[in-house]
Amino acid sequence: MTGVRVRFAPSPTGPLHMGGVRTALFNYLFAKKNNGSFILRIEDTDQNRYVKGAEEYILKSLQWCGIIPDEGQGYGGDYAPYRQSERKEIYQKYIQQLIDDDKAYYAFDTPEELEKLRAQSEAKGETFTYNYRNRRQLKSSLNLSKEEVQKLLNAEVPHVIRFKVPAGRELKLMDLIRGKVTFDTSTLDDKVLMKNDGLPTYHLANIVDDHTMKISHVIRGEEWLPSLPLHYLMYEAFGWDAPQFAHLPLILKPEGKGKLSKRDGDKHGFPVFPLEWKTEEGVINGYRETGYLPEAFINMLAFLGWNPGTEQEIFSLEELTKAFTLDKVSKSGARFNPDKAVWFNHQYIQKTDNQTLTEDFQEILKEKGIDTNDDFDFQVVSLLKERANFIIDLWEQGSFFYQTPTSYDAKGLKKVWKSDTLEILNKFRTKEIIPFEAERIQAEIKNFVNENEIGFGKIMMPLRMALVGSLQGPDIPILMDMLGKEEVLKRINSFISFGENQ
Ligand code: GLU
């Protein structure tokens, strides 16, 4: 396929939702797979919904994910500007073309008048549709003379420009994911294309930009499927070839029904945004701050609505690019499984080399005010990596490597503390272990057990309690070796005094 140009066209109305990132990802993959271009366009014509910082957030999020546009806002290109608010003149020119060709018309109805009509329809149990049935009775350029229209325009009477939807046509349109979709144009609204403020609505700006930016495929969320017939009719009205369309399935709540929302994230404790988002009420953590690696996040997202048709689940961005095709995107909604997201991160932590993990882990240590030691920290990482889902788990499961326990797990204590524990520990701490190294320690524990005719658990469990504070942690001789004689004795002594005071 040649000449593939796709776009991600978010509106800067708040932080980019993970569903938006998935749309960007699928566009990116499709472009790369087909040697095409991936374009970032900012659709900011709705001034009321504009949120400061949102555009910057979108750019940063894509960067973090490695979904880098070939062209677009922040990247430049031959079709600039890529921010719709900077393209006003372009839309003016094209809306005039539609008016001149009798494909669009001025409507002077006031919000109050429209509200009244809406209420009347509702009273009859109908929904009000502004279309061929009533457009002749309403205050529009279709019913007024040219002069009357001009007079109203000169007097700056508030108005909008609406699309004149042709009635009574059955549109059989092609969606690359859904196949044939049929629409009856008589059910459509004469949508507003240009608002009173002279700014285009989404529909006009979107079509004009997709055409002028030579977009070959529109890949977007399922929520835009109802707009497809209108968009198709607009291409027709302009006399342009329409791009091909693909509507991606919704991302559903973990429960399976309904679209995934921020509230689901709050409820289940998982992020829905890629990066943190600061509001006046506080900071909402994103995937990045929760400890997800961008590669894991992307891999997880790719599987929301797509699968390669094989058993393979771990894909780098490059591998995804090779494997991705739209025919493997499903029609039905993709249920989001937060556990699966964690699983993906676990896989990527395991794939990351220990040196890199150590460096990331040391960032956490520094934040905790703990001195780093390359060899020691590397060893900690090597010991704990296997069980870590996130880098922070290395700290949560291994803080005892750095801090003397200040309390002891109550459940563990019950299991461990027996009438002879004090005596056993007192005896053990006076034992000479030279050199104080794992292998020697292992041998001396064995000797100690034999000499005293006790079971292994009698010394191992109290030692573990003393050193870790709970019955968790790595192999005891290795831990003792890492902590060093002095620290080990300090911890045993603290545990003894704790036991004595019980
Ligand atoms: N600006 C629209 C959005 O925010 C873009 C829809 C489209 O891709 O056509 O979702």
Side-chain angles (χ1 to χ4, degrees):
M1 213 183 289
T2 51
V4 164
R5 289 175 57 81
V6 293
R7 84 306 191 269
F8 176 50
S11 300
T13 53
L16 184 62
H17 185 276
M18 59 191 267
V21 184
R22 190 205 47 179
T23 301
L25 175 65
F26 284 18
N27 272 283
Y28 173 88
L29 296 177
F30 185 76
K32 297 294 134 188
K33 168 88 181 208
N34 296 294
N35 289 322
S37 299
F38 170 63
I39 295 139
L40 173 65
R41 183 172 74 223
I42 300 293
E43 302 210 321
D44 60 345
T45 56
D46 191 344
Q47 303 281 291
N48 299 327
R49 295 183 60 218
Y50 180 81
V51 171
K52 217 173 136 242
E55 180 184 312
E56 198 193 342
Y57 182 93
I58 292 164
L59 272 107
K60 277 199 183 146
S61 299
L62 295 183
Q63 268 160 18
W64 181 68
C65 295
I67 307 174
I68 309 299
D70 299 299
E71 185 183 317
Q73 183 56 30
Y75 295 87
D78 292 346
Y79 301 86
Y82 292 96
R83 203 190 263 132
Q84 290 186 327
S85 57
E86 293 166 18
R87 299 172 63 82
K88 278 188 215 165
E89 292 78 32
I90 303 177
Y91 309 124
Q92 282 294 346
K93 174 178 138 199
Y94 285 107
I95 195 68
Q96 197 54 50
Q97 179 184 331
L98 288 185
I99 289 183
D100 294 346
D101 294 347
D102 194 30
K103 308 282 188 193
Y105 59 91
Y106 294 101
F108 298 93
D109 316 278
T110 63
E112 296 73 31
E113 283 164 351
L114 287 177
E115 199 35 60
K116 216 165 123 194
L117 291 169
R118 210 163 280 133
Q120 276 171 9
S121 297
E122 267 166 34
K124 283 191 263 170
E126 293 164 5
T127 22
F128 175 68
T129 316
Y130 199 125
N131 64 7
Y132 71 100
R133 286 194 195 87
N134 49 23
R135 65 166 81 107
R136 292 276 163 201
Q137 286 95 57
L138 296 163
K139 210 157 109 205
S140 75
S141 56
L142 297 171
N143 315 312
L144 302 168
S145 69
K146 255 198 163 124
E147 294 70 38
E148 281 172 309
V149 172
Q150 202 49 55
K151 230 165 98 191
L152 290 170
L153 292 179
N154 290 347
E156 291 182 10
V157 172
H159 62 274
V160 297
I161 300 173
R162 288 182 182 270
F163 186 62
K164 195 172 155 194
V165 174
R169 281 179 57 192
E170 194 189 44
L171 294 182
K172 288 196 173 80
L173 306 179
M174 219 19 214
D175 180 280
L176 293 171
I177 294 168
R178 274 141 232 279
K180 207 190 312 156
V181 259
T182 310
F183 300 91
D184 172 5
T185 63
S186 301
T187 62
L188 303 180
D189 239 324
D190 283 357
K191 280 273 189 259
V192 173
L193 299 185
M194 187 70 95
K195 293 169 287 179
N196 188 46
D197 58 8
L199 281 172
T201 57
Y202 155 73
H203 301 293
L204 177 67
N206 192 267
I207 267 61
V208 166
D209 286 350
D210 282 348
H211 173 73
T212 54
M213 294 181 181
K214 296 201 170 57
I215 299 302
S216 62
H217 295 75
V218 169
I219 305 171
R220 60 185 175 190
E222 185 182 316
E223 62 273 29
W224 297 105
L225 189 60
S227 300
L228 181 59
L230 170 74
H231 292 179
Y232 178 81
L233 291 170
M234 287 174 67
Y235 280 103
E236 202 182 66
F238 277 119
W240 296 335
D241 285 338
Q244 298 198 59
F245 289 94
H247 290 87
L248 304 174
L250 291 178
I251 299 180
L252 305 175
K253 294 175 188 299
E255 295 84 357
K257 268 199 190 130
K259 196 173 154 180
L260 182 77
S261 72
K262 185 185 159 293
R263 235 172 299 138
D264 299 307
D266 296 343
K267 189 168 136 200
H268 297 278
F270 60 80
V272 291
F273 303 129
L275 313 178
E276 68 177 7
W277 176 253
K278 291 188 182 121
T279 65
E280 271 165 26
E281 287 109 64
V283 182
I284 306 166
N285 275 342
Y287 276 87
R288 183 181 62 187
E289 294 70 31
T290 313
Y292 280 85
L293 302 173
E295 297 82 6
F297 176 56
I298 284 302
N299 197 156
M300 177 276 286
L301 277 183
F303 273 74
L304 288 176
W306 172 85
N307 78 73
T310 63
E311 293 290 299
Q312 187 183 345
E313 288 188 279
I314 301 301
F315 282 82
S316 66
L317 192 57
E318 216 186 310
E319 288 170 320
L320 283 172
T321 298
K322 293 206 179 95
F324 185 80
T325 52
L326 281 176
D327 61 2
K328 293 247 171 11
V329 175
S330 72
K331 292 189 194 58
S332 47
R335 191 173 68 85
F336 174 66
N337 177 353
D339 296 336
K340 192 72 189 187
V342 173
W343 179 87
F344 270 110
N345 210 55
H346 178 83
Q347 300 303 317
Y348 276 85
I349 295 272
Q350 304 316 307
K351 265 166 68 103
T352 308
D353 66 274
N354 291 6
Q355 186 51 40
T356 308
L357 283 182
T358 302
E359 284 158 25
D360 293 343
F361 178 48
Q362 286 180 329
E363 291 302 313
I364 297 178
L365 293 178
K366 280 181 208 152
E367 270 169 39
K368 307 267 174 208
I370 286 166
D371 291 339
T372 56
N373 173 316
D374 291 346
D375 291 341
F376 187 85
D377 303 337
F378 187 90
Q379 225 177 327
V380 172
V381 166
S382 313
L383 284 169
L384 299 181
K385 175 183 184 179
E386 209 180 311
R387 291 181 51 210
N389 295 328
F390 299 99
I391 291 169
I392 190 72
D393 292 348
L394 297 171
W395 170 255
E396 268 152 25
Q397 291 162 18
S399 57
F400 57 84
F401 280 108
Y402 303 91
Q403 292 173 333
T404 307
T406 48
S407 63
Y408 302 97
D409 172 60
K411 245 196 190 158
L413 266 182
K414 256 201 196 140
K415 246 189 177 164
V416 169
W417 201 267
K418 300 277 150 61
S419 54
D420 54 357
T421 303
L422 201 59
E423 189 195 327
I424 291 170
L425 279 176
N426 267 322
K427 232 189 234 171
F428 185 79
R429 72 171 158 178
T430 57
K431 204 162 175 56
E432 288 272 18
I433 305 179
I434 303 169
F436 201 79
E437 285 166 5
E439 219 173 296
R440 187 80 239 144
I441 297 168
Q442 172 84 43
E444 290 296 353
I445 292 178
K446 217 169 176 186
N447 288 341
F448 182 80
V449 164
N450 290 338
E451 281 159 17
N452 292 283
E453 294 176 354
I454 53 171
F456 258 99
K458 282 267 179 202
I459 178 65
M460 285 309 221
M461 294 224 282
L463 270 182
R464 189 173 287 287
M465 219 48 203
L467 301 176
V468 176
S470 73
L471 289 179
Q472 261 132 38
D475 192 43
I476 290 291
I478 291 178
L479 178 59
M480 286 174 66
D481 183 341
M482 287 175 70
L483 292 176
K485 189 173 175 178
E486 200 183 321
E487 178 66 18
V488 166
L489 280 179
K490 189 174 135 199
R491 293 190 186 191
I492 294 176
N493 290 341
S494 305
F495 189 50
I496 287 176
S497 19
F498 171 81
E500 280 170 344
N501 295 322
Q502 288 308 292

